[in-house]
Amino acid sequence: MNAQILSPELSPPDSSARERVTANWLRDETEMVNSLLPEAELPDSEREKVLARASALVERVRKHADEQSAIEAFMRQYDLSSEEGVLLMCVAEALLRIPDTDTIDMLIRDKLGDADWQKHLGGSHSVLVNASTWGLMLTGRMVNLADDTRRDVRSAMRRLAGRAGEPMIRAAVHQAMRIMGHQFVMGRTIDAAMERSEKKRNRRYRYSFDMLGEAALTQPDADRYQQAYRDAIKAISTDPDAGDVIEASSISVKLSALHPRYEFGKRERVLEELTEKVLELAQMASERGIALTIDAEEADRLELSLDVAAKVFAHPSLEGWNGLGMAVQAYQKRAPAVIDWMIDMARKYKRRWNVRLVKGAYWDTEIKRSQEQGLSGYPVFTRKPNTDVAYLACARKLLDAGSDLIYPQFATHNAHTIAWVHQVAGKRSYEFQRLHGMGVDLYDEVIGKDKLDVPCRVYAPVGSHEDLLPYLVRRLLENGANTSFVNRIFDEEVSVDELIADPCQSVHDFKSLTHPRIPMPVDIFAEQRKNSMGVNFANENEIRQLANEINQHQGPWKAAPLVPGAKTPNGTTVDVTDPADHRRVVGQWIGGDESTVDTAIGNAVKAQPDWDRVPAEKRAQIAEQAAELLEAHRGELVAMCVREAGKSLPDGIAEVREAADFCRYYASMARKLFGAPQDMPSPTGETNRLFLNGRGVFVCISPWNFPLAIFVGEVMAAVLAGNAVIAKPAEQTSLIGYAAVKLLHEAGFPEHVLQFIPGDGA
């Protein structure tokens, strides 16, 4: 009955390159960038050619500033360095998810009412942007009128006009979001998108159509997206003049749209079910002579996507088809290893990959998730030039692989990147890619025999505005940032030299290759306290380590009162069974009796005054040592959370992290509040100071649903304030409480100050 809690046996990697993908997840950024620089740097003569070509591109584009696309003009006018740009992004992100009109009205009033829209009026060459500004300015005025609380008749009329106008304002903002969406989306349906791709200037481009939709939460959602991809492949393949698999329009697929549990924890199920779905689409694409590219998503899904792609790529039914591709994100530290792995796969199966090299669109998410999860580092580069260097190094790797193994597709809106690739590629076969609605003016100077004469493919989203939200927000964040090339290319205040700066030179100029304002996850609370460290449940190496830690501790565990001088209780021993399998006895505990309680209270009353006189700094140091011990015993504590409390593994890790956080947080508060008297406001000639002291004896009774975190949190708050504590856990989780108190004693809390009595809750 002692089955392992977590099996460390995972599928063996299929190559040394695959192992490097896992190993490079959180690799040191400085080391990584220094290893990539030699691949990205060019000899001075070639470097000067790249800068000259990039400069010429920018100069020619700026001559046509009045002709820039509506969405580029909009993003320039309302970039994320402006308050109005941030407000618009907030509205765009939230509006389509709000089901009721009252909440929509409150959102619009809150976000749009106080912004200074008037300063943007007439600030753009685009008629659409200026019209949008007028609408936003009037919306803000009407909202402000509705908020006027003065009691005169004129104000009452204004409030009436405001209330009457709310439905109109709501409809106008919805329409603005739809207009913005239209600039980012090729068409509501695949037929409409393909028809639009044949019009005027659009005919010069190749296309990769993406059916909007991601993160399917239910099986019906996943089935709906699967059918949308089937229909799109059929529609794309109807063009008799499309050309070969490279020249023809293609399809882009998001794996998260095809499976409701696309996560590493469901790896076996995903490999069986999702692989079958992707293979079906790949077979359809193969039969119709078009390419299919698997889009890149969040970092914790990368390795799972490689496993799915590997099974599809190697399938015998795709023999002779060179149309399967993957997007590779250069901002991830694993990107070079992913490319090495793809080259290995191509050699092994004698097929070619199409590789769309992008810089990445989830940067904010990856940084914040790493901090939230307490990882040992970041999966992405913290500085933009570091990502640009990685992109160039990856580009060279793709070009050097050979056209029989890799067809490179360079997705970029950056003039220096375009010029660099064109210089290094020479006569080798490749294409550029851009987003629909972005970079039009730049690529007007790239495609065509009288220009750089390199083909460009447009990544063209297809779908209704209801499905637009996640994609729209990523584009707003990505291209509204004040470091975005798209945002800055028409800004005359930004010099051409600054705009086309060689990222290699920028990196050499940095004093530190890591961003000085982005601390490591462990340091995000600065000097206040250390962040608790978590586990990356999508990294095979960390899972193996966690499995080894946990499986060393299978029980049985025991618990009894920890009360100095108390007699052994006469109560019966209570068996503890695993909530997941009641046949498995994981330990026993003995509860306290009245005599135990009396002794504990006597001990506490006697010990509290001396404990209260212990300096706050000393108490805080003990608490911080307790946090270290909790994390050092993570394996056993997680095992107990699983076996006694029925917790999942992520919840077990969260219990340990929160318990450690409580120790460190209350330690910092003890120093602040109890370390020295606080000066209070005083009348002239008088000095008042506030001294904080313990109040006496506290009984801390914790619930079963957070058997470690809340148990430790209650105890820490009381004991660090100078009180003696008697801790009583929920009867369902006495073993965990006992183990925690033993560690707190080991850290230095006196046994008479902190006592433990398990017992029946009633």
Side-chain angles (χ1 to χ4, degrees), residues 296-315:
E297 298 182 75
E298 296 88 349
D300 58 6
R301 288 170 161 165
L302 172 62
E303 295 182 40
L304 193 53
S305 73
L306 298 186
D307 295 337
V308 171
K311 286 181 173 292
V312 174
F313 186 77
H315 201 273

Side-chain angles (χ1 to χ4, degrees), residues 599-613 619 693-700 714-727 745 749-756:
T599 303
I601 292 175
N603 289 342
V605 169
K606 185 177 180 180
Q608 190 270 332
D610 287 341
W611 174 247
D612 191 30
R613 285 190 285 270
R619 298 200 299 257
N693 297 97
R695 300 300 299 274
V697 178
F698 276 72
V699 177
C700 295
E714 290 180 334
V715 168
M716 280 295 130
V719 77
L720 284 172
N723 302 295
V725 171
I726 300 170
H745 285 163
F749 289 108
E751 294 182 359
H752 288 74
V753 170
L754 172 57
Q755 301 173 92
F756 172 81

Side-chain angles (χ1 to χ4, degrees), residues 573-698:
T573 299
V574 179
D575 284 340
V576 178
T577 59
D578 188 337
D581 186 346
H582 290 295
R583 297 171 297 175
R584 183 187 292 126
V585 176
V586 298
Q588 296 87 31
W589 60 270
I590 301 174
D593 54 20
E594 287 190 29
S595 173
T596 309
V597 173
D598 290 341
T599 303
I601 292 175
N603 289 342
V605 169
K606 185 177 180 180
Q608 190 270 332
D610 287 341
W611 174 247
D612 191 30
R613 285 190 285 270
V614 172
E617 176 61 32
K618 175 63 175 176
R619 298 200 299 257
Q621 290 174 2
I622 295 172
E624 288 169 340
Q625 176 61 21
E628 298 293 327
L629 287 172
L630 287 167
E631 291 186 318
H633 288 77
R634 179 181 68 179
E636 181 174 17
L637 293 171
V638 171
M640 296 179 80
C641 286
V642 171
R643 289 299 194 215
E644 184 182 26
K647 292 273 183 179
S648 66
L649 287 169
D651 283 347
I653 292 293
E655 286 280 331
V656 177
R657 291 193 65 207
E658 189 172 352
D661 280 336
F662 272 131
C663 293
R664 294 182 177 121
Y665 172 75
Y666 285 129
S668 69
M669 294 305 294
R671 288 188 176 97
K672 178 181 178 181
L673 298 175
F674 293 84
Q678 301 175 47
D679 290 330
M680 304 293 288
S682 306
T684 303
E686 183 176 308
T687 300
N688 291 318
R689 288 182 174 176
L690 177 64
F691 292 81
L692 297 178
N693 297 97
R695 300 300 299 274
V697 178
F698 276 72

Side-chain angles (χ1 to χ4, degrees), residues 228-335:
Y229 284 127
R230 291 190 192 109
D231 295 341
I233 291 171
K234 292 175 184 177
I236 293 168
S237 61
T238 57
D239 183 0
D241 302 319
D244 62 18
V245 72
I246 291 299
E247 296 170 341
S249 292
S250 60
I251 187 80
S252 292
V253 174
K254 280 190 171 58
L255 299 187
S256 63
L258 299 179
H259 201 283
R261 297 303 300 271
Y262 175 45
E263 58 198 60
F264 197 89
K266 297 293 181 182
R267 185 173 182 273
E268 291 184 7
R269 176 182 166 190
V270 167
L271 291 183
E272 179 182 348
E273 298 173 5
L274 183 54
T275 301
E276 183 179 333
K277 289 189 166 195
V278 179
L279 179 60
E280 179 200 355
L281 298 177
Q283 289 168 336
M284 287 183 65
S286 174
E287 291 167 4
R288 289 164 172 78
I290 67 172
L292 181 150
T293 298
I294 297 173
D295 271 333
E297 298 182 75
E298 296 88 349
D300 58 6
R301 288 170 161 165
L302 172 62
E303 295 182 40
L304 193 53
S305 73
L306 298 186
D307 295 337
V308 171
K311 286 181 173 292
V312 174
F313 186 77
H315 201 273
S317 66
L318 302 179
E319 184 73 38
W321 176 59
N322 286 323
L324 187 62
M326 288 192 71
V328 176
Q329 298 164 318
Y331 72 2
Q332 281 206 42
K333 298 171 183 175
R334 290 172 289 176

Side-chain angles (χ1 to χ4, degrees), residues 524-602:
I524 60 173
F525 299 115
E527 297 179 0
Q528 185 192 52
R529 62 186 170 95
K530 178 176 151 186
N531 188 19
S532 59
M533 302 309 293
V535 172
N536 186 344
F537 278 98
N539 182 278
E540 294 182 6
N541 290 347
E542 292 200 31
I543 290 177
R544 286 191 182 94
Q545 180 182 346
L546 179 63
N548 291 331
E549 290 177 12
I550 289 175
N551 291 326
Q552 295 175 24
H553 306 283
Q554 295 289 324
W557 296 282
K558 296 186 181 297
L562 293 171
V563 178
K567 297 179 180 178
T568 302
N570 294 322
T572 57
T573 299
V574 179
D575 284 340
V576 178
T577 59
D578 188 337
D581 186 346
H582 290 295
R583 297 171 297 175
R584 183 187 292 126
V585 176
V586 298
Q588 296 87 31
W589 60 270
I590 301 174
D593 54 20
E594 287 190 29
S595 173
T596 309
V597 173
D598 290 341
T599 303
I601 292 175

Side-chain angles (χ1 to χ4, degrees), residues 128-200:
L128 175 63
V129 173
N130 288 328
S132 300
T133 300
W134 265 107
L136 291 165
M137 187 178 74
L138 291 174
T139 297
R141 283 285 298 148
M142 294 189 74
V143 167
N144 284 335
L145 291 177
D147 278 341
D148 196 334
T149 57
R150 287 176 296 174
R151 295 296 181 179
D152 57 40
V153 174
R154 187 178 178 186
S155 295
M157 292 299 292
R158 286 179 173 177
R159 289 196 299 275
L160 178 62
R163 287 194 294 271
E166 282 177 355
M168 181 185 72
I169 294 169
R170 189 189 318 129
V173 175
H174 266 296
Q175 185 62 24
M177 293 301 110
R178 289 189 178 95
I179 291 171
M180 190 184 300
H182 180 72
Q183 301 301 318
F184 279 115
V185 177
M186 194 75 182
R188 291 177 65 88
T189 66
I190 185 63
D191 291 333
M194 292 185 64
E195 181 181 351
R196 190 175 176 187
S197 71
E198 292 295 323
K199 291 182 178 178
K200 299 179 182 178

Side-chain angles (χ1 to χ4, degrees), residues 50 101 120 139 144 161 167 204 282 286 303 328 365 372 392 400 409 423 430 449 501 607 617 661 683 695 710 749 759:
V50 167
T101 56
H120 295 275
T139 297
N144 284 335
R204 301 172 298 163
S286 174
E303 295 182 40
V328 176
T365 299
E372 173 202 346
L392 301 182
D400 290 348
Q409 301 167 310
Q423 176 68 32
Y430 67 98
K449 293 188 179 299
E617 176 61 32
D661 280 336
R695 300 300 299 274
I710 290 184
F749 289 108

